[in-house]
Amino acid sequence: MTRLRLPRFRCPAALGGLSPAALLAPALALALVLPSGPASAHSAPSTLGAHAAPVLAAPATASDTIPASRYQMAERFLTQNASSRVYRADVNPTWDGDDRFWYRTRVPGGFQFVRVNADRNEQRPAFDHERLSSALSAATGESYEALRLPFTSFTEVDDGAAIRVGAAGSTWRCSLSDYRCEEAQAQPSRPGVTSPDGRYTAFRRGGDLWVFDGESGQEIRLTDDAEERYTYAADSQGWRQSNQPILLWSPDSRSIATYQLDERGVEEMHLLRTAEPRPQLQSWPYALPSDSIVPMLERVVIHLEGEAGGPEVVRLDTPPDHQRTSSCCGLARGQQWADVEWSEDGDQLAFVSVSRDYRTATLRLADARTGSVRTVMEESHPKFFESHIQSGGLPNWRVLHDRGQVLWYSQRSGWGHLYLYDLETGEPIRQVTGGDWNVLDVVDVDEGAGQLLITALGREADENPYYTHMYRVSLGAGTTGGSPAGSGDGSLERLTEPGTDHALSLSPSGRFFVDRASTVYSPPVSVLRRTSDGAQVLVLEEADISELTSLGWRPPEPFTVRARDGVTEVHGLMVLPSDFDANKSYPIVNAIYPGPQTGSVGTRGFSVSRRGQAHALAELGFVVVLVDALGSPLRSKRFHTYYYGDMADNGLPDQKAAMQELAQRHDFIDLDRVGIYGHSGGGFATVAALLRHPDFFHVGVGSAGNLDNRGYTYYWGEKYHGPFEVDEDGRDSFEVQAMHLMAEELEGKLLLSYGTMDSNVHPNTTLLLVDALISANKDFDLIVMPNRGHGYANEAYHVRRTWDYFVTHLMGKTPPREYRIGG
């Protein structure tokens, strides 16, 4: 019996800005904040008309100065400060046995490590924190406190008799019997991927692939024909360059699936690092939508022991593939190469090829020894195909070798569901799930029992459609004939409680899962459950937010309103200041990340880490709203692709409709003072708001925006906007979304910023707009962040300048001069 599983914690909205790293900028969280909680009843569609010219705040007088104490109040709710006042909320299990795991959680005074044995229903401290801190202090010569240990993770050694940790720049082995710590031999430091048996670590050197043998201590060279920009396992994706190899080990740890990446002829991007006495040039290959030569990968299997005794490279008999995955962007999720699966015996390799326009996905099966390849099946979508509704998720297809079947994910019905196909013929067998809801993750496949564990969204009636639940579903007994019709929905069994969002982690055995249940307003309760029936085994932690609420923090308020069409429901959050007074009038500010990769709201569970900037800004005296508009994922395919072909739409008509409907409900919202801010894709949306809707949006702060996707990485625009095409008049299909071509439309106040070393969203697209605004004789403001990459928006200076801008131009008040966050 073969068991395929994907144990991991779901990280909602996993990926915020245009790259996963950019979206996780913690302090600002400006593009990633998102809804949950019971939706409030909606009112009739808004009948408010568009406002005329922007009504900006009058110049401030001395008496209108905001005191520094107000900024201090706001600072308390920034991510780092707010998170430090929430206890026992984080339970992210590290499974180190079939049914054993540990986690680290914040407690008053620091952090505690906890060990759980699910099979025995046991929970205890992972070690004696006092004794370990004393032992480490004695060994290193440093001074450590019991709840402020210098490491965030550990590895059990000697069958649990000791742990290996990092401290004081070295690796230490600490006995858990006599609590003595001795310096351990450090492993060679190199980015690598460890084999399933733990013996080998694959790494890159000079463009070739090597392995380190932990038993012999030897390094083994696997390839020797790499050349400049034609290298093995390269993590080179335009916006991301690292020496971390992208590959997949076979289950027996004897073979590696990877590729040789051909970037020869790909045009370069350039940046100048500010330095003394002269700037330093940085150049790297970066393909754009208009380029004919783009990176291509040539698939290979490398056997550590080939027929001749040494390493052997087998090139698969298939054309080079575009640098694509079926679940969005990039080649890997963490260290896992997406769209590639080994058979349990290591004889066959399944992989999905995705066309450059993202419209066609093809499943192929390769013989790992001979390199022969056959096509099993393919599917196309007129806009873009996806094997997961969340861009940060792993592809949801599986090859079920023992059953001779393929579990395939498709949105052909308008919703994301699972289908069974015959592995040999590629013919359909049956539909496994169906209905007006979405499968999120295929978490576990038990081929022998013919059962799946999945997570899904939107299936439960009268519940927030973004709440995640775990279900068990039967694959069914049929193996031949028929068409993919019928839902199989009746076989679904929900394993999680209704009314809350669930972040989930499955044990390697598949017998247990950790369930972190919460809403945006109710702190998480983390429990251990059985997968057999969803029954609770053990309460792990109940979060304590009393210290945070004592500061006046109030949870965001979920709401449901109508989109631009007056029919479609969209969901959002409203954040109010701690001293909110419904009899006052407040400017309203939209914190936006527009999609199509993710939305503005982020996790539907409790979180202060992803909504810190929104709460801090609200504390200054604003109503801050976050709306998941049309064009964002996790709903129907039609919802997600709503503005395909016009990325500058950015869901802004829905943002306007939402704020207008909220203003109808709440007299305290002043639509004569409307602001908007965002980073990366949110920066793009902010600029589009002021240029496309100057009658509504008055003040904007847009940072690191991809303001013309002709100058952004080729696979982003080609997926979400469409292929780059030029008509007979010489106009290209991307002109409609280029912000610098709309510069003359600026009427409100706009603050732009960029990092001079942003290798993700190149500063060039911002500078094109700057030049156009100058040519149009428009007033605007600009912050240049020297030597910063894409994630600078969480810097205290940029946060403070954002506050200042809205205080000055929406409130008409003077901010405290050069207030220092963290000072």
Side-chain angles (χ1 to χ4, degrees):
M1 178 182 74
T2 302
R3 189 179 189 86
L4 305 176
R5 46 187 168 264
L6 185 60
R8 66 183 186 282
F9 233 100
R10 180 180 67 85
C11 220
L15 319 173
L18 292 176
S19 75
L23 294 186
L24 294 178
L28 255 180
L30 24 114
L32 306 186
V33 207
L34 325 183
S36 90
S40 60
H42 61 264
S43 62
S46 172
T47 58
L48 289 181
H51 286 259
V55 182
L56 299 180
T61 64
S63 62
D64 289 327
T65 299
I66 285 189
S69 60
R70 192 75 192 188
Y71 271 45
Q72 291 170 350
M73 291 171 62
E75 189 178 349
R76 296 179 306 182
F77 299 139
L78 285 172
T79 294
Q80 183 174 353
N81 298 328
S83 296
S84 68
R85 299 178 184 275
V86 175
Y87 304 121
R88 301 190 180 280
D90 296 320
V91 178
N92 299 304
T94 297
W95 298 91
D96 54 8
D98 273 357
D99 297 317
R100 298 173 66 247
F101 65 93
W102 62 264
Y103 62 90
R104 176 178 181 262
T105 192
R106 185 187 294 273
V107 296
F111 293 88
Q112 185 178 37
F113 291 85
V114 180
R115 160 69 66 190
V116 177
N117 187 318
D119 195 44
R120 298 179 181 178
N121 193 15
E122 292 178 352
Q123 180 187 29
R124 57 180 173 78
F127 41 75
D128 188 318
H129 290 65
E130 289 283 357
R131 295 184 69 185
L132 185 62
S133 64
S134 297
L136 268 178
S137 297
T140 63
E142 303 289 339
S143 179
Y144 300 119
E145 299 177 21
L147 296 180
R148 297 187 181 274
L149 294 167
F151 54 87
T152 59
S153 65
F154 64 87
T155 302
E156 280 193 350
V157 295
D158 301 335
D159 295 325
I163 58 173
R164 182 180 289 117
V165 300
S170 299
T171 301
W172 304 86
R173 179 195 176 278
C174 297
S175 167
L176 298 185
S177 56
D178 59 5
Y179 280 89
R180 295 175 60 88
C181 294
E182 299 176 346
E183 192 166 5
Q185 182 177 0
Q187 297 294 324
S189 178
R190 54 174 73 86
V193 181
T194 303
S195 60
D197 63 6
R199 175 176 175 178
Y200 300 101
T201 300
F203 66 96
R204 299 179 73 244
R205 178 180 292 158
D208 280 304
L209 197 63
W210 296 62
V211 294
F212 171 74
D213 185 342
E215 289 187 2
S216 68
Q218 294 182 324
E219 294 181 342
I220 305 169
R221 186 170 188 165
L222 302 181
T223 67
D224 60 5
D225 60 340
E227 58 184 81
E228 185 176 3
R229 298 192 179 176
Y230 187 44
T231 61
Y232 287 91
D235 185 11
S236 176
Q237 300 177 49
W239 57 270
R240 185 174 72 192
Q241 306 277 324
S242 81
N243 205 37
Q244 175 71 39
I246 296 180
L247 52 85
L248 188 65
W249 281 96
S250 62
D252 62 4
S253 301
R254 307 307 299 168
S255 303
I256 293 172
T258 187
Y259 54 83
Q260 191 168 9
L261 183 65
D262 191 352
E263 297 178 290
R264 296 171 296 183
V266 176
E267 293 198 46
E268 292 183 334
M269 196 69 86
H270 310 279
L271 289 170
L272 283 175
R273 179 174 295 279
T274 302
E276 296 179 348
R278 56 173 55 89
Q280 302 164 353
L281 177 67
Q282 176 178 309
S283 302
W284 73 102
Y286 189 114
L288 300 177
S290 59
D291 290 350
S292 59
I293 300 177
V294 298
M296 301 292 288
L297 57 88
E298 300 172 7
R299 298 178 184 269
V300 300
V301 171
I302 303 174
H303 302 288
L304 270 59
E305 295 182 9
E307 293 182 0
E312 178 186 10
V313 178
V314 176
R315 293 189 174 270
L316 301 190
D317 186 17
T318 187
D321 269 331
H322 287 286
Q323 203 178 18
R324 296 279 192 267
T325 62
S326 64
S327 58
C328 184
C329 311
L331 291 170
R333 299 291 177 266
Q335 288 191 343
Q336 186 163 352
W337 186 16
D339 275 330
V340 180
E341 288 184 0
W342 281 99
S343 61
E344 193 67 26
D345 58 13
D347 289 341
Q348 293 184 310
L349 185 74
F351 60 92
V352 167
S353 302
V354 182
S355 59
R356 177 169 175 174
D357 61 11
Y358 264 107
R359 291 172 177 168
T360 301
T362 304
L363 174 65
R364 296 187 170 99
L365 196 61
D367 184 304
R369 284 293 172 182
T370 68
S372 63
V373 177
R374 71 177 181 88
T375 296
V376 177
M377 58 177 291
E378 72 175 27
E379 182 173 337
S380 297
H381 190 278
K383 293 180 178 176
F384 52 84
F385 176 90
E386 287 185 308
S387 63
H388 198 288
I389 60 169
Q390 187 167 271
S391 65
L394 285 164
N396 273 324
W397 59 269
R398 301 286 188 275
V399 174
L400 312 180
H401 294 274
D402 288 355
R403 294 172 63 98
Q405 297 174 346
V406 175
L407 184 68
W408 188 250
Y409 183 92
S410 172
Q411 294 171 294
R412 69 188 62 161
S413 69
W415 301 87
H417 285 292
L418 299 170
Y419 301 79
L420 270 182
Y421 283 80
D422 187 279
L423 179 60
E424 183 63 33
T425 66
E427 292 298 314
I429 298 173
R430 66 182 292 264
Q431 185 171 350
V432 178
T433 64
D436 292 350
W437 52 276
N438 288 300
V439 171
L440 182 62
D441 285 311
V442 174
V443 179
D444 182 75
V445 182
D446 189 334
E447 291 190 54
Q451 290 188 338
L452 309 174
L453 288 177
I454 64 170
T455 56
L457 305 166
R459 183 175 180 269
E460 305 305 316
D462 302 320
E463 196 176 84
N464 189 307
Y466 295 95
Y467 281 178
T468 296
H469 287 283
M470 172 106 63
Y471 300 87
R472 183 189 299 103
V473 58
S474 171
L475 281 170
T479 56
T480 59
S483 62
S487 70
D489 191 25
S491 67
L492 263 71
E493 178 188 358
R494 194 185 69 239
L495 301 177
T496 46
E497 297 295 324
T500 58
D501 182 59
H502 299 268
L504 305 160
S505 179
L506 183 71
S507 71
S509 72
R511 298 173 58 216
F512 299 93
F513 66 96
V514 173
D515 174 10
R516 181 182 182 270
S518 66
T519 69
V520 295
Y521 45 82
S522 59
V525 176
S526 299
V527 303
L528 180 68
R529 296 186 184 277
R530 291 194 301 260
T531 55
S532 59
D533 55 6
Q536 179 177 300
V537 176
L538 186 67
V539 176
L540 301 173
E541 303 289 351
E542 296 186 51
D544 177 5
I545 65 169
S546 58
E547 192 172 309
L548 180 64
T549 55
S550 70
L551 297 179
W553 182 89
R554 53 189 297 158
E557 298 183 8
F559 60 81
T560 302
V561 292
R562 299 294 185 179
R564 72 188 78 180
D565 59 8
V567 176
T568 306
E569 286 190 347
V570 295
H571 293 252
L573 298 177
M574 181 169 62
V575 184
L576 302 174
S578 61
D579 60 353
F580 169 72
D581 183 347
N583 295 314
K584 291 184 178 180
S585 177
Y586 293 87
I588 184 169
V589 179
N590 190 298
I592 190 168
Y593 189 85
Q597 183 176 344
T598 183
S600 297
V601 182
T603 175
R604 274 68 188 180
F606 185 89
S607 176
V608 294
S609 64
R610 292 180 182 269
R611 290 187 262 271
Q613 170 68 347
H615 280 278
L617 184 61
E619 192 65 12
L620 296 177
F622 298 96
V623 172
V624 180
V625 294
L626 309 102
V627 182
D628 276 356
L630 292 171
S632 58
L634 305 184
R635 302 281 291 278
S636 68
K637 188 70 170 181
R638 177 182 178 274
F639 193 105
H640 190 197
T641 61
Y642 195 86
Y643 57 77
Y644 179 84
D646 182 13
M647 287 187 69
D649 177 289
N650 280 306
L652 291 167
D654 311 306
Q655 304 286 347
K656 287 176 54 179
M659 289 186 284
Q660 288 170 334
E661 188 170 339
L662 288 173
Q664 279 189 321
R665 299 179 192 175
H666 306 296
D667 292 339
F668 56 79
I669 293 176
D670 182 0
L671 288 186
D672 286 330
R673 296 182 292 165
V674 179
I676 185 170
Y677 72 91
H679 183 73
S680 193
F684 175 34
T686 294
V687 172
L690 267 70
L691 300 185
R692 280 194 161 192
H693 306 279
D695 59 333
F696 186 83
F697 293 99
H698 307 142
V699 182
V701 178
S703 50
N706 50 313
L707 305 183
D708 180 356
N709 287 284
R710 294 178 296 187
Y712 186 56
T713 184
Y714 75 114
Y715 56 65
W716 173 265
E718 289 179 353
K719 175 177 182 180
Y720 292 123
H721 186 80
F724 183 89
E725 298 169 342
V726 180
D727 64 23
E728 57 186 16
D729 297 323
R731 293 178 58 87
D732 68 67
S733 56
F734 274 61
E735 287 185 16
V736 66
Q737 56 78 56
M739 291 294 96
H740 65 279
L741 300 181
M742 309 174 199
E744 292 187 355
E745 303 302 321
L746 180 64
E747 296 180 18
K749 294 290 185 178
L750 175 61
L751 172 60
L752 298 169
S753 68
Y754 67 88
T756 65
M757 294 302 292
D758 190 341
S759 59
N760 182 341
V761 177
H762 196 280
N764 191 59
T765 66
T766 299
L767 290 170
L768 286 171
L769 176 61
V770 166
D771 187 48
L773 291 170
I774 292 171
S775 296
N777 196 34
K778 295 292 184 178
D779 291 339
F780 65 97
D781 296 283
L782 177 66
I783 298 175
V784 177
M785 305 287 283
N787 292 344
R788 272 66 164 190
H790 193 57
Y792 66 85
N794 62 339
E795 287 194 31
Y797 179 80
H798 196 273
V799 174
R800 192 265 293 176
R801 290 295 301 274
T802 300
W803 294 357
D804 290 352
Y805 209 71
F806 287 128
V807 165
T808 300
H809 297 298
L810 281 186
M811 284 186 174
K813 294 183 180 294
T814 301
R817 180 171 174 79
E818 296 179 351
Y819 178 85
R820 183 181 293 275
I821 292 176

Coordinates of all heavy atoms in Angstrom, one line a residue, residues 303 314-317 367-373:
H303 N 21.4 9.6 -11.0 CA 21.5 8.4 -10.2 C 22.9 8.5 -9.5 O 23.9 8.6 -10.1 CB 21.4 7.1 -10.9 CG 20.1 7.0 -11.7 ND1 18.9 6.8 -11.1 CD2 19.8 7.1 -13.0 CE1 17.9 6.7 -12.0 NE2 18.5 6.9 -13.2
V314 N 20.8 11.0 -16.5 CA 19.9 10.5 -17.6 C 19.0 11.7 -18.0 O 18.3 12.3 -17.2 CB 19.0 9.4 -17.1 CG1 18.0 9.0 -18.1 CG2 19.8 8.2 -16.7
R315 N 19.1 12.1 -19.3 CA 18.3 13.2 -19.8 C 17.0 12.7 -20.3 O 16.9 11.7 -21.0 CB 19.1 14.0 -20.9 CG 20.3 14.7 -20.4 CD 20.9 15.6 -21.4 NE 22.0 16.3 -20.8 CZ 21.9 17.5 -20.2 NH1 20.7 18.1 -20.2 NH2 22.9 18.1 -19.6
L316 N 15.9 13.3 -19.8 CA 14.6 12.8 -20.2 C 14.3 13.2 -21.6 O 14.6 14.3 -22.1 CB 13.5 13.4 -19.2 CG 13.7 13.1 -17.7 CD1 12.5 13.5 -17.0 CD2 14.0 11.6 -17.5
D317 N 13.6 12.3 -22.3 CA 13.3 12.5 -23.7 C 12.0 13.3 -23.9 O 11.0 12.8 -24.2 CB 13.2 11.1 -24.4 CG 13.0 11.2 -25.9 OD1 13.3 12.3 -26.4 OD2 12.5 10.2 -26.5
D367 N 10.5 7.1 -17.5 CA 11.2 6.0 -16.9 C 12.5 6.6 -16.4 O 13.3 7.1 -17.2 CB 11.5 5.0 -18.0 CG 12.2 3.7 -17.5 OD1 13.3 3.9 -16.9 OD2 11.7 2.6 -17.7
A368 N 12.8 6.5 -15.1 CA 13.9 7.1 -14.5 C 15.3 6.5 -15.0 O 16.3 7.2 -14.9 CB 13.9 7.0 -13.0
R369 N 15.3 5.3 -15.5 CA 16.5 4.7 -15.9 C 16.8 5.0 -17.4 O 18.0 5.3 -17.8 CB 16.5 3.2 -15.7 CG 16.7 2.8 -14.2 CD 18.1 3.1 -13.8 NE 18.3 3.0 -12.3 CZ 19.4 3.2 -11.7 NH1 20.5 3.7 -12.3 NH2 19.5 3.1 -10.4
T370 N 15.8 4.9 -18.3 CA 16.0 5.0 -19.7 C 15.8 6.5 -20.2 O 16.3 6.8 -21.2 CB 15.1 4.1 -20.5 OG1 13.7 4.5 -20.3 CG2 15.2 2.7 -20.0
G371 N 15.0 7.2 -19.4 CA 14.7 8.6 -19.8 C 13.5 8.7 -20.8 O 13.2 9.8 -21.2
S372 N 12.9 7.6 -21.1 CA 11.8 7.6 -22.0 C 10.6 8.3 -21.3 O 10.4 8.1 -20.1 CB 11.4 6.2 -22.5 OG 11.0 5.4 -21.4
V373 N 9.8 9.0 -22.1 CA 8.7 9.8 -21.6 C 7.4 9.6 -22.4 O 7.5 9.6 -23.6 CB 9.1 11.3 -21.5 CG1 7.9 12.2 -21.0 CG2 10.3 11.6 -20.7

